[in-house]
Amino acid sequence: MPMNNSIIQGDCLDILPTLPTESVGLVVTDPPYLVRYRDRSGRTVRNDDNPGVLAAFTDIYRLLKPDSLCISFYGWNSVDAFFAAWRGAGFRPVGHIVWPKDYASSRRYLQACHEQAYLLAKGTPRIPAEPVKDVQSWEYTGNRAHPTEKAVSVLKPLISCFSSPGDLVLDPFAGSGSACVAAALSGRRYLGIELEARYCEHARRRLAGVSRCLDRQTQAGGCHRRTV
Ligand SMILES: C[S@@+](CC[C@H](N)C(=O)[O-])C[C@H]1O[C@@H](n2cnc3c(N)ncnc32)[C@H](O)[C@@H]1O
Protein backbone atom coordinates (compact mmCIF):
# COMPACT_ATOMS: atom_id res chain seq x y z
CA MET A 1 0.00 0.00 0.00
CA PRO A 2 1.63 3.33 -1.03
CA MET A 3 1.92 5.49 2.10
CA ASN A 4 3.59 8.62 0.79
CA ASN A 5 1.66 11.36 -0.95
CA SER A 6 -1.23 9.14 -1.99
CA ILE A 7 -4.99 9.29 -2.12
CA ILE A 8 -6.37 5.79 -1.70
CA GLN A 9 -9.90 5.01 -2.75
CA GLY A 10 -11.73 2.68 -0.38
CA ASP A 11 -13.27 2.17 3.02
CA CYS A 12 -10.90 3.37 5.70
CA LEU A 13 -12.21 0.63 8.00
CA ASP A 14 -10.61 -1.88 5.58
CA ILE A 15 -7.51 0.14 4.69
CA LEU A 16 -6.35 1.51 8.04
CA PRO A 17 -5.76 -1.97 9.56
CA THR A 18 -3.28 -2.72 6.73
CA LEU A 19 -1.05 0.30 7.52
CA PRO A 20 2.00 0.13 9.79
CA THR A 21 1.76 0.96 13.49
CA GLU A 22 3.29 4.30 14.63
CA SER A 23 3.90 5.54 11.08
CA VAL A 24 1.83 8.76 11.17
CA GLY A 25 2.94 12.11 12.61
CA LEU A 26 -0.45 13.89 12.68
CA VAL A 27 -4.05 13.05 11.82
CA VAL A 28 -6.31 15.83 10.55
CA THR A 29 -9.74 14.52 9.78
CA ASP A 30 -13.34 15.48 9.16
CA PRO A 31 -15.44 12.33 9.61
CA PRO A 32 -19.13 12.09 8.80
CA TYR A 33 -20.93 14.17 11.47
CA LEU A 34 -23.68 11.51 11.89
CA VAL A 35 -26.43 14.05 11.17
CA ARG A 36 -27.86 12.55 7.92
CA TYR A 37 -26.47 15.59 6.12
CA ARG A 38 -28.28 16.82 3.02
CA ASP A 39 -27.48 20.17 1.43
CA ARG A 40 -29.90 22.44 -0.42
CA SER A 41 -29.24 20.70 -3.71
CA GLY A 42 -29.79 17.24 -2.17
CA ARG A 43 -26.14 16.18 -1.88
CA THR A 44 -25.40 13.78 0.99
CA VAL A 45 -22.25 12.46 2.72
CA ARG A 46 -21.62 8.70 2.73
CA ASN A 47 -21.96 7.07 6.16
CA ASP A 48 -23.40 10.21 7.71
CA ASP A 49 -26.05 7.92 9.22
CA ASN A 50 -23.61 5.22 10.40
CA PRO A 51 -21.93 5.60 13.82
CA GLY A 52 -19.93 2.45 12.95
CA VAL A 53 -17.50 4.59 10.91
CA LEU A 54 -16.12 6.02 14.13
CA ALA A 55 -14.49 2.62 14.78
CA ALA A 56 -11.75 4.07 12.51
CA PHE A 57 -10.37 5.91 15.55
CA THR A 58 -9.03 2.63 17.00
CA ASP A 59 -6.67 2.25 14.05
CA ILE A 60 -6.03 5.99 13.85
CA TYR A 61 -4.66 5.76 17.40
CA ARG A 62 -2.52 2.73 16.58
CA LEU A 63 -1.09 4.39 13.47
CA LEU A 64 -0.04 7.58 15.25
CA LYS A 65 3.50 7.82 16.58
CA PRO A 66 3.84 7.94 20.38
CA ASP A 67 3.20 11.42 21.78
CA SER A 68 1.36 12.84 18.78
CA LEU A 69 -1.98 14.44 17.95
CA CYS A 70 -5.22 13.96 16.05
CA ILE A 71 -7.43 16.90 15.07
CA SER A 72 -10.99 15.74 14.46
CA PHE A 73 -13.93 17.84 13.35
CA TYR A 74 -17.20 16.49 14.71
CA GLY A 75 -20.94 17.09 14.78
CA TRP A 76 -21.98 18.61 18.10
CA ASN A 77 -25.26 16.68 18.08
CA SER A 78 -23.38 13.35 17.99
CA VAL A 79 -20.76 14.31 20.53
CA ASP A 80 -21.55 11.28 22.73
CA ALA A 81 -20.73 8.86 19.91
CA PHE A 82 -17.55 10.79 19.04
CA PHE A 83 -16.36 10.86 22.64
CA ALA A 84 -17.07 7.15 23.08
CA ALA A 85 -14.98 6.40 19.96
CA TRP A 86 -12.12 8.75 20.88
CA ARG A 87 -11.83 7.64 24.50
CA GLY A 88 -12.39 3.99 23.58
CA ALA A 89 -9.43 4.24 21.19
CA GLY A 90 -7.21 5.73 23.93
CA PHE A 91 -7.27 9.42 23.01
CA ARG A 92 -7.18 12.21 25.61
CA PRO A 93 -8.84 15.50 24.60
CA VAL A 94 -6.30 18.32 25.11
CA GLY A 95 -8.07 21.19 23.34
CA HIS A 96 -11.14 22.31 21.46
CA ILE A 97 -11.06 24.58 18.41
CA VAL A 98 -13.93 26.79 17.26
CA TRP A 99 -14.33 28.59 13.95
CA PRO A 100 -17.04 31.30 14.06
CA LYS A 101 -18.79 31.67 10.70
CA ASP A 102 -20.53 34.77 9.41
CA TYR A 103 -23.36 32.65 7.97
CA ALA A 104 -25.60 29.93 9.38
CA SER A 105 -25.22 26.35 8.10
CA SER A 106 -28.62 25.52 9.54
CA ARG A 107 -31.32 27.24 11.54
CA ARG A 108 -33.53 25.67 14.21
CA TYR A 109 -33.50 26.66 17.93
CA LEU A 110 -30.23 28.41 17.07
CA GLN A 111 -28.51 29.57 13.92
CA ALA A 112 -25.57 27.21 13.52
CA CYS A 113 -22.73 29.71 13.06
CA HIS A 114 -19.61 27.79 14.06
CA GLU A 115 -17.55 24.74 13.19
CA GLN A 116 -15.65 22.80 15.81
CA ALA A 117 -12.90 20.21 16.27
CA TYR A 118 -11.22 18.45 19.17
CA LEU A 119 -7.48 18.21 19.58
CA LEU A 120 -6.83 14.65 20.78
CA ALA A 121 -3.56 13.38 22.25
CA LYS A 122 -1.91 10.01 22.07
CA GLY A 123 0.51 10.02 25.01
CA THR A 124 2.00 13.39 25.89
CA PRO A 125 2.86 15.39 22.76
CA ARG A 126 5.27 18.30 23.18
CA ILE A 127 3.70 21.70 23.75
CA PRO A 128 4.24 23.92 20.66
CA ALA A 129 6.55 26.93 21.09
CA GLU A 130 3.79 29.14 19.61
CA PRO A 131 0.40 27.50 20.22
CA VAL A 132 -2.37 28.63 17.90
CA LYS A 133 -5.50 30.19 19.38
CA ASP A 134 -8.48 27.92 19.97
CA VAL A 135 -10.70 30.37 18.09
CA GLN A 136 -9.65 30.40 14.46
CA SER A 137 -10.63 32.23 11.28
CA TRP A 138 -13.09 30.46 8.98
CA GLU A 139 -13.19 30.60 5.21
CA TYR A 140 -16.15 29.34 3.19
CA THR A 141 -15.13 27.26 0.19
CA GLY A 142 -18.46 27.40 -1.62
CA ASN A 143 -18.63 23.57 -1.35
CA ARG A 144 -18.39 23.28 -5.11
CA ALA A 145 -16.41 20.03 -5.30
CA HIS A 146 -17.78 18.43 -2.13
CA PRO A 147 -20.81 19.25 0.03
CA THR A 148 -18.72 19.79 3.19
CA GLU A 149 -15.41 20.98 1.77
CA LYS A 150 -13.04 22.60 4.28
CA ALA A 151 -10.76 25.45 3.19
CA VAL A 152 -7.03 24.82 2.99
CA SER A 153 -6.51 28.11 4.86
CA VAL A 154 -8.44 26.68 7.82
CA LEU A 155 -6.28 23.55 8.06
CA LYS A 156 -2.80 24.85 7.26
CA PRO A 157 -2.11 26.72 10.54
CA LEU A 158 -3.00 23.58 12.52
CA ILE A 159 -0.74 21.36 10.44
CA SER A 160 2.14 23.84 10.82
CA CYS A 161 1.62 24.03 14.57
CA PHE A 162 1.20 20.33 15.35
CA SER A 163 3.57 18.56 12.97
CA SER A 164 7.07 18.97 11.60
CA PRO A 165 8.33 19.21 8.01
CA GLY A 166 8.49 15.73 6.47
CA ASP A 167 5.92 14.21 8.87
CA LEU A 168 3.18 12.03 7.41
CA VAL A 169 -0.26 13.64 7.79
CA LEU A 170 -3.20 11.21 7.52
CA ASP A 171 -6.81 12.01 6.67
CA PRO A 172 -8.89 8.81 6.54
CA PHE A 173 -12.07 10.72 5.53
CA ALA A 174 -10.37 12.85 2.90
CA GLY A 175 -13.33 14.08 0.80
CA SER A 176 -12.02 16.63 -1.70
CA GLY A 177 -8.51 16.33 -0.24
CA SER A 178 -8.23 19.68 1.56
CA ALA A 179 -6.21 18.32 4.51
CA CYS A 180 -3.81 16.60 2.11
CA VAL A 181 -3.42 19.80 0.06
CA ALA A 182 -2.74 21.75 3.28
CA ALA A 183 -0.16 19.13 4.31
CA ALA A 184 1.60 19.21 0.93
CA LEU A 185 1.73 23.01 0.94
CA SER A 186 3.22 22.86 4.45
CA GLY A 187 6.08 20.55 3.38
CA ARG A 188 4.54 17.45 4.98
CA ARG A 189 3.84 14.08 3.37
CA TYR A 190 0.19 13.11 3.10
CA LEU A 191 -2.04 10.06 2.94
CA GLY A 192 -5.75 10.47 2.23
CA ILE A 193 -8.39 7.72 2.18
CA GLU A 194 -11.80 8.36 0.64
CA LEU A 195 -14.72 6.08 -0.14
CA GLU A 196 -16.08 7.93 -3.17
CA ALA A 197 -14.18 7.66 -6.45
CA ARG A 198 -15.26 11.10 -7.69
CA TYR A 199 -13.77 12.83 -4.64
CA CYS A 200 -10.57 10.78 -4.91
CA GLU A 201 -10.19 11.91 -8.52
CA HIS A 202 -10.78 15.52 -7.55
CA ALA A 203 -8.29 15.29 -4.67
CA ARG A 204 -5.64 13.72 -6.91
CA ARG A 205 -6.10 16.51 -9.47
CA ARG A 206 -5.70 19.15 -6.77
CA LEU A 207 -2.60 17.46 -5.41
CA ALA A 208 -1.07 17.15 -8.87
CA GLY A 209 -1.60 20.92 -9.16
CA VAL A 210 0.14 21.45 -5.82
CA SER A 211 3.03 19.27 -6.87
CA ARG A 212 3.50 21.18 -10.16
CA CYS A 213 3.24 24.43 -8.28
CA LEU A 214 5.80 23.41 -5.65
CA ASP A 215 8.16 22.34 -8.42
CA ARG A 216 7.89 25.82 -9.96
CA GLN A 217 7.88 27.62 -6.62
CA THR A 218 11.55 28.42 -6.54
CA GLN A 219 11.19 30.37 -9.80
CA ALA A 220 7.76 31.96 -9.27
CA GLY A 221 7.59 32.29 -5.48
CA GLY A 222 4.40 30.63 -4.26
CA CYS A 223 1.32 28.58 -5.08
CA HIS A 224 -1.74 30.53 -6.14
CA ARG A 225 -5.02 29.68 -4.44
CA ARG A 226 -6.59 29.07 -7.86
CA THR A 227 -4.17 26.20 -8.49
CA VAL A 228 -5.13 24.26 -5.34
C1 LIG B 1 -17.19 15.39 6.12
S1 LIG B 1 -16.64 14.72 4.62
C2 LIG B 1 -14.94 15.29 4.51
C3 LIG B 1 -14.81 16.54 3.68
C4 LIG B 1 -13.37 17.00 3.56
N1 LIG B 1 -12.87 17.52 4.82
C5 LIG B 1 -13.19 18.06 2.48
O1 LIG B 1 -12.64 19.14 2.80
O2 LIG B 1 -13.58 17.82 1.35
C6 LIG B 1 -16.41 13.03 5.05
C7 LIG B 1 -15.93 12.17 3.91
O3 LIG B 1 -15.72 10.83 4.40
C8 LIG B 1 -16.04 9.92 3.37
N2 LIG B 1 -16.28 8.63 4.01
C9 LIG B 1 -17.37 8.22 4.69
N3 LIG B 1 -17.18 6.99 5.16
C10 LIG B 1 -15.94 6.60 4.80
C11 LIG B 1 -15.17 5.43 5.00
N4 LIG B 1 -15.64 4.39 5.69
N5 LIG B 1 -13.91 5.38 4.48
C12 LIG B 1 -13.42 6.44 3.77
N6 LIG B 1 -14.12 7.57 3.55
C13 LIG B 1 -15.36 7.64 4.05
C14 LIG B 1 -17.25 10.53 2.70
O4 LIG B 1 -17.41 10.06 1.37
C15 LIG B 1 -16.92 12.03 2.76
O5 LIG B 1 -16.29 12.47 1.58
Side-chain angles (χ1 to χ4, degrees):
M1 189 74 70
M3 288 279 289
N4 267 344
N5 300 337
S6 306
I7 301 288
I8 300 173
Q9 193 215 328
D11 188 329
C12 68
L13 296 179
D14 298 331
I15 293 163
L16 293 173
T18 69
L19 303 179
T21 299
E22 298 182 0
S23 53
V24 169
L26 174 70
V27 173
V28 179
T29 196
D30 181 20
Y33 281 13
L34 310 180
V35 294
R36 298 171 186 270
Y37 180 86
R38 181 175 291 273
D39 73 9
R40 287 187 187 93
S41 60
R43 291 185 299 176
T44 55
V45 171
R46 288 278 296 276
N47 279 325
D48 208 47
D49 56 354
N50 175 16
V53 288
L54 300 187
F57 282 97
T58 301
D59 269 302
I60 289 174
Y61 186 90
R62 178 185 63 80
L63 292 172
L64 276 168
K65 292 186 171 169
D67 302 322
S68 58
L69 292 158
C70 168
I71 299 161
S72 178
F73 287 83
Y74 71 99
W76 67 266
N77 18 14
S78 298
V79 68
D80 291 343
F82 277 93
F83 256 93
W86 293 334
R87 289 209 193 269
F91 282 113
R92 186 168 56 93
V94 292
H96 185 247
I97 309 164
V98 173
W99 289 265
K101 305 196 280 200
D102 59 7
Y103 59 93
S105 309
S106 65
R107 189 186 274 257
R108 203 159 176 244
Y109 293 102
L110 295 167
Q111 296 185 42
C113 291
H114 71 277
E115 285 288 334
Q116 61 284 320
Y118 267 97
L119 182 63
L120 305 162
K122 172 175 177 174
T124 311
R126 69 169 179 79
I127 307 281
E130 292 291 337
V132 292
K133 292 184 178 168
D134 64 4
V135 178
Q136 287 280 308
S137 301
W138 184 253
E139 182 185 343
Y140 179 54
T141 59
N143 294 332
R144 281 180 287 278
H146 187 288
T148 64
E149 186 177 338
K150 301 291 180 290
V152 170
S153 64
V154 162
L155 304 169
K156 228 167 139 235
L158 303 175
I159 290 173
S160 299
C161 185
F162 296 120
S163 67
S164 302
D167 277 353
L168 180 62
V169 175
L170 167 69
D171 182 356
F173 298 98
S176 64
S178 297
C180 296
V181 169
L185 289 174
S186 308
R188 277 60 168 169
R189 296 173 294 133
Y190 63 84
L191 176 61
I193 304 170
E194 167 56 43
L195 204 47
E196 292 220 42
R198 57 188 162 154
Y199 300 140
C200 288
E201 281 157 24
H202 179 77
R204 290 185 189 123
R205 274 197 303 274
R206 287 176 88 187
L207 284 150
V210 172
S211 172
R212 282 194 298 275
C213 174
L214 292 173
D215 287 346
R216 286 196 306 262
Q217 200 173 36
T218 41
Q219 303 145 31
C223 288
H224 295 293
R225 292 160 68 90
R226 238 181 318 119
T227 327
V228 294

